[in-house]
Amino acid sequence: MPHQDHDARVGSFLSQFGQTSETTEFFSPHPEGYVPGRTSYVAVLGTVMSGLGKGIFSSSLAKLLKDKGLAVAPVKLEGYLNVDSGTLNPYRHGEVFVLDDGTECDMDLGTYERMLDQNLSVQNFTTAGQIYTEVLDRERRGGYLGRDVQMIPHVTGEVKRRLRQLAMTGGPDGGPADLVFIEVGGTVGDYENGFYIEALRELAFEEGQGRACFVALTYVLDPPTLGEQKSKAAQLGIKRLMESGIQPHIIACRAERPVEETVREKVSMFSNVPLQRVISMHDRDSIYTIPEAMRAQGLDREILTILNCHSRVNTVHEDTHRGNWKSFAEKLTGPRQHDVNIGILGKYTALRDAYASIDKAIEHASTHLSIKPNLQWIDTTEISDPGKELSELNLHAVIVPGGFGERGVDGKIHGVQWVRENKIPFLGICLGFQMAVIEYARHVAGFTEANSTEFLADAAQPVISELPDQKLIEDLGGTMRLGGQDVAITPGSLASFLYDESTSVRERFRHRFEVDPSFIEKLEQAGLIFSGRHPEQPIMQFLELPRSVHPYFVAAQYHPELTSRPLTPQPMFMGLLAAAILRSNPSLTREDVSTRWIPEPSANTAVPPTQSSSATPSPCG
Ligand code: GLN
């Protein structure tokens, strides 16, 4: 590279960070336009052990402060080297959550979106893989002025740059945030996250007094053989954090039972944290009561004091949002009217986290419909006689969730056939949608060889085949049709009823295969209704059966579970569970249930006009 060119590129890189000297040992990049002091930072770090619900804790705390009218921007800092979560096995890591912008991320981001009722994006999710890739790419571009590139200051510098960038654009509508909420994955002492912790120490120092609040989440042991709580592990964990140069401001003690005062005193004394800032975060019936429990212990007040933010609180905003949340939490923990059995036919049923968002979407919808859901996780790889085995379960609704690969597929197809023939309310999601298409093609439309090219590359009747764009991509990482897309809804359909007569809705996708356009017309002639489509291309996104044929049979190529929120449950789940109430108690009528989610018997039977299938497949949008 010519010398001058190199200097110009390096110069522009550094000036972006407000840094001009080649010799400085500081590497504290401020993105252009960053206003120091405008945003404060709250960092939540785990000690003693993982699995304490750090994500739930952090998101509850962020919610508590958001309800006060503060603009919060959460970020999860993952220690692993994967660039995103797209290639992670749900068995090991739980489900892959998909954001509206197509980011495939950790399921904790789903917890943040649901708790905060806020759409997040790629800037709210960072992995060590992203950080290192960025630093190494920059090094190759000559961005470090011939310096040796080091963990400190360059890798930590990249972490700080991202956090400051988030401070500038992570608030509502891409504006600044009042608070950046940082959750560091893993626990203090892990190799993977050491550079994040060092970056946070540097950030707090550079931003100055009262701009960063460190919250240590720890664990108080309660061995049954002793019958008393012990604080030693918690003390050691916090000491480890202090060895990194970070003095926590607040310590939250996870425990099974409320943490005794004497134990809190010990933790306080060994960690230089005043007693009122050592709080008990013991187990509760519902995660939705955590924000109130934090408030009751004064956690919000302490954080506002530490960060000097009391003047930014909007009490009217707080009262409204707190009230809405409280009434949801009361419904959630209160008595329920209807017992409903819901079968979930998947292959990762041994690990509930693999279907965390479906679990949550059911929780939201059943709370609003006063249903006590009894979930039956059915492993389709183990079903040999679906008709018999499913009949025995007395199911009132069935969900076939998303998935990849051939394993368990036969059980799903037979399961769909059984729900269709027995008129059990049904919701198919992504792969579940494709299963419904294959089942209908084989058993109703006469395509006995119908299959997906995902399972049989040279299928004779490939009713499901690869999206044209996806065929061009060979890698496994990040190669799917991902994220929020518009779905055009056919007026007069059940889909239209569920979405409140909207003609266009936005939902999130994660798939590589679709209904092959050459089969659309034939499937529709056989009675299947595609009532949600890509606005321009022949990509089928929602299917249903007429209500004269089946009380509730719907499926989506997208993932409706990803957009369900506690106060605004997702319509397809509301429709499913409302139909399940009637199934669970045949003596009930639509009027008895009194919900807007059951259509009148005569409604929504219209078959929408067939879209010409002569359209050749075009690249998806
Ligand atoms: N395996 C299917 C596809 O790639 C379905 C994906 C899913 O269920 N998320 O299209």
Side-chain angles (χ1 to χ4, degrees):
M1 158 190 332
H3 196 65
Q4 226 180 352
D5 209 29
H6 170 265
D7 284 355
R9 285 166 73 174
V10 170
S12 92
F13 167 70
L14 286 176
S15 68
Q16 186 200 334
F17 295 157
Q19 184 173 345
T20 48
S21 165
E22 290 193 16
T23 53
T24 179
E25 284 306 312
F26 283 114
F27 193 84
S28 306
H30 284 192
E32 206 179 321
Y34 182 72
V35 182
R38 167 76 185 73
T39 301
S40 297
Y41 298 83
V42 179
V44 178
L45 301 131
T47 69
V48 179
M49 64 185 212
S50 59
L52 294 178
K54 195 159 13 92
I56 289 169
F57 174 84
S58 309
S59 55
S60 301
L61 192 52
K63 172 176 175 50
L64 193 57
L65 292 155
K66 179 175 177 172
D67 281 357
K68 293 177 187 296
L70 296 163
V72 303
V75 59
K76 172 101 195 253
L77 304 179
E78 287 285 9
Y80 51 69
L81 290 171
N82 307 57
V83 171
D84 60 35
S85 309
T87 53
L88 295 180
N89 179 345
Y91 250 136
R92 281 179 64 94
H93 298 271
E95 77 175 2
V96 176
F97 196 80
V98 183
L99 303 177
D100 187 77
D101 69 356
T103 302
E104 295 174 288
C105 58
D106 185 87
M107 54 188 271
D108 271 346
L109 276 272
T111 309
Y112 283 105
E113 284 205 342
R114 290 186 285 263
M115 274 286 180
L116 297 173
D117 194 11
Q118 181 171 325
N119 273 3
L120 302 177
S121 72
V122 66
Q123 61 176 344
N124 303 98
F125 178 64
T126 292
T127 67
Q130 291 172 20
I131 301 278
Y132 292 137
T133 304
E134 178 81 34
V135 170
L136 294 175
D137 283 352
R138 190 177 292 146
E139 186 276 329
R140 289 290 82 187
R141 295 196 306 268
Y144 291 102
L145 294 167
R147 276 225 23 187
D148 45 336
V149 180
Q150 295 181 297
M151 291 298 284
I152 305 171
H154 304 106
V155 173
T156 54
E158 175 56 19
V159 177
K160 290 183 285 179
R161 187 188 70 75
R162 284 175 177 235
L163 295 175
R164 289 180 169 128
Q165 185 63 48
L166 181 61
M168 292 169 61
T169 54
D173 304 323
D178 294 310
L179 291 177
V180 166
F181 250 88
I182 305 152
E183 178 194 341
V184 181
T187 47
V188 175
D190 294 349
Y191 270 111
E192 288 79 8
N193 62 21
F195 71 97
Y196 285 134
I197 295 172
E198 167 59 16
L200 293 173
R201 184 195 66 74
E202 295 170 18
L203 181 82
F205 170 65
E206 292 165 9
E207 293 290 315
Q209 273 289 334
R211 292 285 162 228
C213 171
F214 287 103
V215 182
L217 191 65
T218 192
Y219 188 61
V220 170
L221 296 170
D222 197 352
T225 44
L226 291 183
E228 62 169 324
Q229 293 178 326
K230 304 299 274 178
S231 68
K232 180 63 101 196
Q235 290 172 38
L236 291 174
I238 290 158
K239 227 169 225 160
R240 189 92 199 235
L241 177 62
M242 291 161 87
E243 280 166 15
S244 322
I246 289 178
Q247 166 63 52
H249 300 88
I250 289 181
I251 297 176
C253 303
R254 288 281 295 114
E256 280 161 53
R257 297 181 297 137
V259 180
E260 288 151 25
E261 172 114 359
T262 49
V263 174
R264 285 176 44 235
E265 278 170 4
K266 253 193 198 163
V267 172
S268 162
M269 191 180 70
F270 280 100
S271 58
N272 310 323
V273 176
L275 186 61
Q276 80 272 18
R277 292 182 180 172
V278 178
I279 64 156
S280 172
M281 287 308 307
H282 47 276
D283 291 351
R284 289 169 200 279
D285 290 346
S286 157
I287 60 166
Y288 299 100
T289 59
I290 296 176
E292 269 308 302
M294 289 173 159
R295 198 172 192 276
Q297 297 188 69
L299 187 53
D300 50 345
R301 207 179 45 237
E302 294 302 327
I303 292 191
L304 292 175
T305 304
I306 292 161
L307 298 175
N308 201 11
C309 282
H310 282 287
S311 61
R312 295 196 198 177
V313 171
N314 175 341
T315 45
V316 178
H317 189 277
E318 180 172 29
D319 289 347
T320 314
H321 285 81
R322 209 177 138 213
N324 292 344
W325 192 256
K326 253 176 110 173
S327 67
F328 175 77
E330 271 158 24
K331 266 196 232 163
L332 188 110
T333 46
R336 311 279 176 109
Q337 271 178 293
H338 312 285
D339 280 296
V340 164
N341 300 335
I342 305 166
I344 300 173
L345 303 188
K347 73 176 171 190
Y348 301 117
T349 50
L351 181 75
R352 242 167 109 179
D353 275 358
Y355 300 114
S357 293
I358 291 181
D359 210 2
K360 289 290 154 198
I362 293 172
E363 183 181 67
H364 305 158
S366 51
T367 303
H368 287 275
L369 291 166
S370 195
I371 287 174
K372 185 162 165 275
N374 169 25
L375 302 191
Q376 314 252 11
W377 301 89
I378 302 153
D379 185 343
T380 45
T381 58
E382 290 185 353
I383 292 190
S384 52
D385 183 353
K388 181 170 173 300
E389 288 164 49
L390 294 175
S391 303
E392 283 166 4
L393 296 172
N394 188 26
L395 299 174
H396 308 129
V398 166
I399 297 175
V400 177
F404 294 84
E406 199 189 353
R407 214 166 54 85
V409 153
D410 274 349
K412 287 183 185 172
I413 294 174
H414 285 116
V416 178
Q417 181 179 12
W418 179 79
V419 298
R420 183 177 55 75
E421 291 174 352
N422 290 280
K423 303 196 190 312
I424 312 282
F426 166 73
L427 167 59
I429 297 175
C430 206
L431 183 67
F433 167 95
Q434 298 171 359
M435 297 292 94
V437 172
I438 295 173
E439 191 281 317
Y440 203 82
R442 282 187 194 173
H443 304 127
V444 183
F447 297 111
T448 50
E449 304 286 302
N451 214 326
S452 163
T453 54
E454 180 176 3
F455 318 127
L456 191 62
D458 56 356
Q461 291 165 336
V463 289
I464 304 292
S465 65
E466 208 165 350
L467 284 154
D469 265 12
Q470 271 30 62
K471 283 186 185 137
L472 307 173
I473 308 170
E474 308 247 297
D475 286 350
L476 270 186
T479 58
M480 281 182 277
R481 179 167 181 257
L482 285 167
Q485 307 267 344
D486 291 337
V487 180
I489 302 288
T490 310
S493 61
L494 180 55
S496 165
F497 168 80
L498 293 172
Y499 284 107
D500 216 6
E501 320 284 313
S502 302
T503 48
S504 175
V505 296
R506 190 170 174 86
E507 292 282 1
R508 296 185 195 172
F509 291 77
R510 181 173 188 247
H511 67 126
R512 207 174 271 126
F513 297 83
E514 62 163 344
V515 180
D516 191 291
S518 60
F519 287 90
I520 294 169
E521 200 170 324
K522 290 168 202 138
L523 289 167
E524 288 197 319
Q525 278 160 1
L528 195 60
I529 302 171
F530 290 112
S531 49
R533 295 158 184 244
H534 186 286
E536 280 116 36
Q537 293 152 23
I539 304 179
M540 301 301 105
Q541 315 200 326
F542 191 111
L543 69 76
E544 61 188 80
L545 285 180
R547 295 196 67 247
S548 50
V549 173
H550 193 288
Y552 191 86
F553 190 99
V554 302
Q557 183 61 80
Y558 51 83
H559 288 268
E561 73 277 21
L562 299 177
T563 49
S564 184
R565 304 267 165 92
L567 304 185
T568 46
Q570 208 282 341
M572 293 177 79
F573 282 85
M574 288 301 273
L576 177 78
L577 294 195
I581 294 176
L582 295 186
R583 176 83 197 186
S584 71
N585 186 347
S587 65
L588 286 179
T589 63
R590 178 177 176 269
E591 285 68 33
D592 297 329
V593 182
S594 127
T595 164
R596 99 125 188 94
W597 296 99
I598 304 174
E600 283 178 40
S602 58
N604 317 107
T605 46
V607 180
T610 302
Q611 177 176 312
S612 167
S613 62
S614 58
T616 42
S618 50
C620 60

